[in-house]
Amino acid sequence: MYELVKNCYDANATDVYVDFKDASLDPINGTITISDNGTGMSFSDIRDKWMVVGTNSKRTKLYSDPPFDRKFVGEKGIGRFAVDKLGERLLIRTKTKGERRRLNVTIKWDEYETKANAPKPMLFTEMANEFFYEPAPADEHGTTLVISRLSENWSNFDLDRLYIELSKIVSPFYPVDPPFDIFLNSNTDLEYRNTAVKADPVKYYSHYGELSFDLSTGKQQVLKLNQSNGKIQTDWIDIQSFGPIKMRVYYFNESAKKRYRTAYKNDESRIDGIKIYRDGIITTPFAEYEGDPNKKRDILGIDKRRWRGAFDKVGTREIIGVVDISKQQNPNIIDATNRQDFIDNSEYRRLKEFIIEQIDVLGELKDYERKVKRSAVEKELQKASDEVKQFSTEIRSLEKQIVREHPQLKGVLTPLVDQASTLGKTISDSISEQKKFEKDVVRKEKIYLSLMSLQDYAANISHAVRTSLGKIKRSAEFFVNNFPNPTFDDLFKEYALFIYGEMNVLLKVTDFMLSYASSELDFEDVDIKELIESIFLSEYRTVLEAENISVELEIRDTFIINTNKRFFHDIFGNLISNSIKALRNTPNKVIKCSGLLGSDAFDLYFSDNGYGITKGDEEWIFGLYNTRTADKGGAGIGLYIVEKRIEALRGSIEVAESEFKPIGATFKITFPFDRD
Amino acid sequence: MNLDSTQIVVIHDGLISTNDPLLVELRIRFGEQNVEYFPSSNPGLEYVLANLSSKMVVLLDVNFSHGEKSGFQVFEEIRERTSLIYVIMITANDLNTLRTEDLITLVNHDAFAIESVASDYIKIISLVDKAAHQLEVRVASVLEQWINLRSPDEQATQFIMTSDGTKYTLGDLLGEIRQQSEIGMAVERNILVLAIDLLTRQKEKLNG
């Protein structure tokens, strides 16, 4: 439905009527009618474009006919598919302006399927669909789709969902010009009587921010938190590279979310993050319908960054926002042809940053509110503690006085006094408990990441270098002691080659040291999934292709860590180069890398279907200079670096059971989160 | 000196495999058949423990890969079984970074020497020479070789009875010497005194 209505927009319609007739109870006899006042279609349009899935007409043309010049939002050639899903029969009634006849075409998919399954199958395009013309006024234009023999029934709940989705097509704040109005009608749901589809006003939010711009001064508004009163305000900055934008954002804090859940019966799908509209119409990356909020794509990267500090960052399920851009003011924000995102250019990257900066202001607000609440709780507790102390002091002096005058009351008063002092202690205990808990929470917010200690590192590397130098020195010493004794000619040659090779190994080791020395300088936020994908699909693509190795990547989850990219390049670079050696004699070479996020660690599995690891070598292979591929140029450095790099990230690596057993090898790499 | 019969066992994972100049020079000096090389510690230790009756000098690395016994562990396990094998530790570690307790173990259990892997191999070989020589002249070594040359009947014969009536075979005596018990030390001293006595009275000719 969503796709069909978007098609109406692309056809320059200003009104769309969606009508459900008996669709809730009796879908076989029910109908859905979608009619618009758009340009309409000619016979050849239907035959050559509408009926053909994936026609290129929308590819080559990005905008609809003048004077509307609308940026197409519908997916190319999806119309027939969409209708096919809704029902088995379709009547298209369509007419372009100036024509004197209206075209009627009837399509019966149910019959087509019967014929397609017949002994002599027919292609859909070969089917003779029934059509006829009928007279109509010349100035009439538009298309009506009548879908019958419906595949599913449409409950009131379904209509509500459709209403919400349709209401997202048009920006709630900056109406389209020329307009695009949608009306929904149902003969079974009283709520929809040619009801104009408009985004419900956002209710129950706790904070609201609105940004605009001023072209005369070249300024753009940004959000700002007033730290003294916790209010969201605005400030002016220069208009950014992506051009001036308008933005509205509604934030739901905890109590607002509670109110919201109560009002909308736990349906949180309406709080769905930030969407970008262009000239009042939703942009294609945001235009795909996805009912399950867990499957929604995080186009702007709002949720990805939350792994780092889930407590301070605001995510898509806490905000409703609209960013309005325009063709004219923001020409470099361009929809990617795959409809999944915008074209990655510096302007779009800056726009994403800008949006996240605004959301981060809400994060500051969240933090501010938490602190205020925390100090309020602390104050309350402190006050209670003071009062109880005062109370026990008073009761104790009272006790003395009363007992002196009325000794029979001692039995009643003493337990009271004891209770008061126990209560005092309980309260002060709970204050310290609460403080301890806060501290724990702060610690858990960080993903654990730090370098191994410098002493460990120095010991490690000096051992490696000395071992290497020892070998070189003994070889040289052998020359000093024995050259030119011809008995040793073979050994002289062997040692000369060895010294040369070992020097190269030493250079690698020192490079490793140098990278370590400088690595602290360039830590940055890294999206693990993106990084691994770029390593496999860009950097090593040509190498892997040249070796005929196919790559299977299954990085199901991702998270952002602040790390040194170089470390990951070293890890995967070395693993891949090992796999290439191990796969040399394997016919269908595969390298597989999968990753998943657990509650306390991120696990990565790296596998190939090569000759595998000899039993008993599972730990030995990580040692420096330990190699079984010396004949293939293995120096025994790769896995050593891999292990050290992973250890430096406080992770671990081990040989796991091969995913390709009985052949192949699998490494399991674990990066634990902070548990300290 | 009869060096040919001394086994040199090299347990080290930081050598050029099989053809390290150190191994080559040891083979030249002690004979190809007398130099055994193990790049990892576990099989090396097994070999040593299976050949306790040989005169043996062990060149032992300190660091091995994960899952393998460290040089110190290997040393201790050898010492649990015998004090007659000389062990020379060769390490790529900075000697200052060795743990004090490991050093104490080495000294208290008679490690023969500790040397850096970056030293001249000639120095290491001279240490092996020295150890092999000392092996030759240790009473227990000589006695052990003597015992090994006897028939089982002779080995079961009781040689000494102490004043309290305890009887000892040659094998018993060897055990006492190895454990450095009172009787062991007394026997060891008496053998040396007797040897000097024989030498000065020229009643026996010494071989070699």
Side-chain angles (χ1 to χ4, degrees):
Chain A
M1 288 300 299
Y2 192 53
E3 289 300 331
L4 292 174
V5 173
K6 285 195 287 179
N7 280 349
C8 303
Y9 175 82
D10 294 348
N12 283 349
T14 56
D15 295 319
V16 184
Y17 287 87
V18 181
D19 179 47
F20 286 82
K21 193 164 165 268
D22 298 331
S24 65
L25 303 169
D26 186 10
I28 288 290
N29 295 310
T31 57
I32 302 172
T33 306
I34 301 157
S35 64
D36 70 41
N37 59 351
T39 46
M41 289 183 281
S42 66
F43 182 82
S44 62
D45 282 340
I46 294 185
R47 187 191 57 202
D48 302 336
K49 295 178 185 166
W50 200 84
M51 296 287 280
V52 182
V53 177
T55 171
N56 279 328
S57 80
K58 285 180 193 164
R59 269 272 162 89
T60 49
K61 261 178 77 182
L62 289 173
Y63 296 99
S64 72
D65 294 335
F68 285 66
D69 289 324
R70 285 174 173 176
K71 171 93 177 69
F72 286 140
V73 291
E75 190 162 358
K76 62 186 176 78
I78 202 74
R80 185 188 78 66
F81 253 144
V83 175
D84 188 5
K85 275 187 129 180
L86 292 172
E88 289 179 343
R89 298 204 176 176
L90 168 69
L91 166 66
I92 305 173
R93 306 173 71 204
T94 185
K95 188 181 162 301
T96 52
K97 201 171 180 179
E99 273 285 326
R100 298 207 164 271
R101 301 178 304 170
R102 187 188 298 126
L103 169 64
N104 290 261
V105 181
T106 308
I107 301 166
K108 296 173 179 170
W109 274 285
D110 48 347
E111 285 183 9
Y112 160 68
E113 266 174 42
T114 321
K115 284 180 183 160
N117 292 330
K120 207 179 152 206
M122 274 174 84
L123 291 177
F124 180 78
T125 42
E126 295 169 340
M127 289 266 306
N129 294 303
E130 296 165 19
F131 71 93
F132 65 90
Y133 287 97
E134 58 185 343
D139 57 351
E140 182 194 291
H141 55 92
T143 302
T144 298
L145 305 176
V146 183
I147 302 156
S148 55
R149 299 184 81 97
L150 303 179
S151 320
E152 287 165 322
N153 64 20
W154 285 73
S155 67
N156 292 357
F157 175 72
D158 293 329
L159 291 183
D160 289 346
R161 295 297 291 270
L162 177 66
Y163 180 91
I164 292 172
E165 288 308 317
L166 293 180
S167 71
K168 290 177 185 169
I169 295 179
V170 176
S171 168
F173 309 121
Y174 306 97
V176 196
D177 181 29
F180 181 65
D181 295 325
I182 308 164
F183 301 91
L184 190 58
N185 192 52
S186 162
N187 69 338
T188 53
D189 188 342
L190 296 176
E191 222 183 298
Y192 302 109
R193 290 290 148 116
N194 276 331
T195 311
V197 175
K198 291 226 154 42
D200 283 348
V202 181
K203 285 184 260 181
Y204 308 113
Y205 57 88
S206 58
H207 297 80
Y208 167 66
E210 183 175 356
L211 301 180
S212 189
F213 54 85
D214 185 342
L215 287 179
S216 63
T217 56
K219 295 288 180 189
Q220 165 76 52
Q221 275 184 314
V222 287
L223 292 180
K224 194 178 107 180
L225 175 71
N226 184 329
Q227 288 284 355
S228 58
N229 61 10
K231 288 222 156 62
I232 295 289
Q233 300 175 333
T234 53
D235 210 347
W236 291 98
I237 59 169
D238 289 340
I239 286 178
Q240 303 288 295
S241 63
F242 48 80
I245 61 159
K246 290 186 175 180
M247 180 173 178
R248 289 193 193 197
V249 59
Y250 298 85
Y251 169 60
F252 294 78
N253 66 12
E254 273 310 305
S255 50
K257 274 189 108 174
K258 242 179 245 164
R259 284 199 299 277
Y260 191 93
R261 278 194 288 261
T262 318
Y264 288 106
K265 300 179 188 67
N266 287 327
D267 175 20
E268 280 192 38
S269 62
R270 292 158 194 253
I271 304 184
D272 56 357
I274 305 267
K275 290 180 288 296
I276 299 180
Y277 288 79
R278 182 187 289 104
D279 297 315
I281 285 286
I282 194 139
T283 50
T284 51
F286 292 92
E288 314 282 295
Y289 172 70
E290 176 52 68
D292 181 355
N294 290 318
K295 288 187 186 155
K296 279 209 169 111
R297 285 177 311 111
D298 184 18
I299 297 157
L300 297 168
I302 293 169
D303 287 332
K304 271 191 264 186
R305 81 205 203 292
R306 297 181 76 225
W307 291 108
R308 237 183 358 167
F311 292 85
D312 288 337
K313 299 271 195 266
V314 167
T316 51
R317 308 233 194 136
E318 294 163 273
I319 42 174
I320 298 178
V322 168
V323 171
D324 274 275
I325 61 172
S326 70
K327 260 187 305 199
Q328 207 191 347
Q329 310 272 21
N330 316 93
N332 288 322
I333 305 300
I334 306 158
D335 303 14
T337 48
N338 68 4
R339 308 173 53 84
Q340 302 293 304
D341 205 340
F342 296 91
I343 287 174
D344 183 32
N345 55 25
S346 64
E347 290 85 0
Y348 175 50
R349 279 198 290 269
R350 178 64 199 124
L351 173 62
K352 277 203 278 191
E353 279 169 18
F354 179 86
I355 292 171
I356 283 176
E357 282 160 16
Q358 309 315 307
I359 296 171
D360 282 345
V361 173
L362 299 173
E364 286 173 33
L365 170 75
K366 196 177 177 181
D367 189 42
Y368 173 88
E369 286 197 331
R370 198 147 40 93
K371 277 185 192 144
V372 168
K373 201 171 156 192
R374 196 189 298 159
S375 66
V377 170
E378 261 173 35
K379 270 188 203 144
E380 285 297 313
L381 276 171
Q382 199 53 53
K383 204 173 140 205
S385 164
D386 293 347
E387 280 170 1
V388 169
K389 267 183 209 149
Q390 202 186 343
F391 172 71
S392 27
T393 323
E394 277 172 16
I395 205 169
R396 206 162 277 148
S397 67
L398 258 180
E399 186 201 18
K400 282 179 196 155
Q401 199 186 333
I402 292 170
V403 169
R404 216 180 303 134
E405 291 164 18
H406 309 280
Q408 72 278 15
L409 286 179
K410 188 177 164 61
V412 184
L413 278 174
T414 312
L416 261 182
V417 173
D418 292 349
Q419 222 174 342
S421 61
T422 317
L423 187 60
K425 193 173 178 315
T426 313
I427 291 181
S428 52
D429 282 355
S430 60
I431 292 176
S432 60
E433 269 307 302
Q434 197 227 355
K435 285 194 173 144
K436 217 167 87 190
F437 173 73
E438 272 170 22
K439 224 168 150 188
D440 281 352
V441 169
V442 172
R443 280 180 185 159
K444 277 175 195 152
E445 286 175 27
K446 292 179 292 178
I447 284 175
Y448 198 82
L449 204 63
S450 76
L451 299 173
M452 66 207 268
S453 82
L454 271 179
Q455 280 105 321
D456 285 354
Y457 171 68
N460 223 303
I461 212 73
S462 68
H463 183 270
V465 172
R466 272 159 173 273
T467 302
S468 209
L469 287 175
K471 291 181 192 177
I472 294 169
K473 190 185 163 190
R474 287 193 300 280
S475 304
E477 191 185 347
F478 190 84
F479 275 90
V480 173
N481 294 340
N482 299 298
F483 193 78
N485 183 341
T487 347
F488 298 122
D489 274 354
D490 286 350
L491 281 176
F492 291 143
K493 197 170 174 196
E494 188 182 328
Y495 291 155
L497 285 172
F498 175 81
I499 290 170
Y500 176 77
E502 197 67 10
M503 289 306 231
N504 283 331
V505 170
L506 262 183
L507 282 174
K508 270 194 207 173
V509 172
T510 43
D511 281 350
F512 175 52
M513 285 165 77
L514 286 174
S515 73
Y516 206 103
S518 63
S519 57
E520 243 171 322
L521 301 174
D522 51 341
F523 269 49
E524 59 190 307
D525 279 2
V526 176
D527 179 316
I528 290 291
K529 183 177 174 167
E530 276 175 18
L531 176 62
I532 294 173
E533 284 175 350
S534 89
I535 291 174
F536 279 93
L537 306 178
S538 331
E539 286 165 51
Y540 281 89
R541 205 190 65 196
T542 39
V543 179
L544 293 167
E545 278 175 2
E547 298 280 343
N548 277 325
I549 297 172
S550 61
V551 173
E552 293 175 15
L553 280 186
E554 282 177 19
I555 313 293
R556 253 178 284 166
D557 309 290
T558 188
F559 67 103
I560 309 275
I561 57 171
N562 190 259
T563 189
N564 185 320
K565 270 190 183 176
R566 174 73 187 258
F567 282 21
F568 281 89
H569 285 263
D570 284 351
I571 292 167
F572 286 99
N574 281 300
L575 288 174
I576 290 171
S577 117
N578 274 2
S579 289
I580 290 173
K581 278 179 235 156
L583 286 165
R584 202 145 286 174
N585 297 317
T586 306
N588 297 312
K589 304 166 202 256
V590 180
I591 291 180
K592 186 176 167 186
C593 183
S594 51
L596 56 146
L597 193 66
S599 58
D600 51 6
F602 184 70
D603 290 330
L604 273 170
Y605 291 86
F606 181 98
S607 309
D608 65 51
N609 61 345
Y611 55 64
I613 294 160
T614 314
K615 212 172 156 30
D617 278 357
E618 291 89 349
E619 295 195 331
W620 177 83
I621 48 169
F622 293 108
L624 184 59
Y625 304 131
N626 290 355
T627 179
R628 299 278 188 229
T629 54
D631 52 326
K632 297 186 188 74
I637 294 257
L639 284 175
Y640 175 81
I641 290 178
V642 169
E643 192 189 36
K644 294 301 161 237
R645 286 300 196 215
I646 292 171
E647 280 174 1
L649 297 166
R650 294 279 173 188
S652 60
I653 179 166
E654 60 183 324
V655 175
E657 189 179 37
S658 170
E659 282 188 86
F660 298 103
K661 65 178 179 178
I663 52 161
T666 295
F667 290 97
K668 181 187 176 190
I669 302 168
T670 305
F671 294 110
F673 301 154
D674 188 6
R675 287 280 143 188
D676 277 4
Chain B
M1 199 175 355
N2 183 9
L3 290 180
D4 280 357
S5 58
T6 303
Q7 285 261 304
I8 312 299
V9 180
V10 184
I11 309 174
H12 207 290
D13 80 348
L15 300 184
I16 304 169
S17 72
T18 68
N19 264 351
D20 193 279
L22 177 65
L23 297 172
V24 171
E25 296 278 11
L26 286 171
R27 286 179 192 131
I28 293 168
R29 183 132 185 81
F30 294 92
E32 192 93 18
Q33 72 284 5
N34 290 323
V35 178
E36 292 290 341
Y37 164 59
F38 297 92
S40 48
S41 64
N42 295 355
L45 175 64
E46 272 172 43
Y47 178 85
V48 171
L49 296 182
N51 293 282
L52 282 177
S53 61
S54 313
K55 283 189 293 177
M56 199 183 285
V57 177
V58 177
L59 289 174
L60 183 57
D61 192 4
V62 170
N63 292 57
F64 288 94
S65 308
H66 291 293
E68 291 210 39
K69 288 179 175 145
S70 77
F72 293 115
Q73 279 174 295
V74 172
F75 176 69
E76 280 184 88
E77 289 195 31
I78 292 174
R79 278 295 171 261
E80 280 165 22
R81 298 280 298 276
T82 178
S83 58
L84 289 179
I85 286 175
Y86 283 122
V87 179
I88 299 168
M89 306 295 291
I90 295 174
T91 178
N93 290 337
D94 177 0
L95 296 185
N96 291 315
T97 63
L98 294 179
R99 296 188 314 161
T100 317
E101 51 266 50
D102 288 331
L103 291 173
I104 291 172
T105 307
L106 291 183
V107 173
N108 288 355
H109 291 90
D110 285 334
F112 190 82
I114 183 160
E115 191 51 75
S116 163
V117 78
S119 299
D120 289 2
Y121 66 71
I122 290 295
K123 203 168 164 189
I124 296 170
I125 285 170
S126 72
L127 283 172
V128 179
D129 272 346
K130 208 166 136 189
H133 172 71
Q134 289 204 10
L135 261 189
E136 287 290 319
V137 300
R138 273 183 78 150
V139 171
S141 300
V142 179
L143 182 60
E144 189 178 33
Q145 282 177 61
W146 179 268
I147 294 171
N148 286 340
L149 294 173
R150 301 303 106 188
S151 69
D153 281 351
E154 284 173 303
Q155 285 186 19
T157 312
Q158 285 155 5
F159 272 79
I160 289 177
M161 189 168 74
T162 57
S163 50
D164 63 358
T166 318
K167 295 170 180 168
Y168 294 89
T169 63
L170 281 179
D172 295 335
L173 287 174
L174 182 61
E176 296 295 325
I177 294 171
R178 275 181 173 163
Q179 288 161 27
Q180 296 288 285
S181 67
E182 209 173 306
I183 176 85
M185 288 193 285
V187 170
E188 204 175 11
R189 198 165 48 240
N190 288 340
I191 289 174
L192 288 171
V193 170
L194 179 64
I196 290 162
D197 185 49
L198 288 172
L199 179 70
T200 48
R201 284 195 270 158
Q202 293 197 317
K203 287 197 176 165
E204 286 291 326
K205 277 190 180 164
L206 293 173
N207 291 329

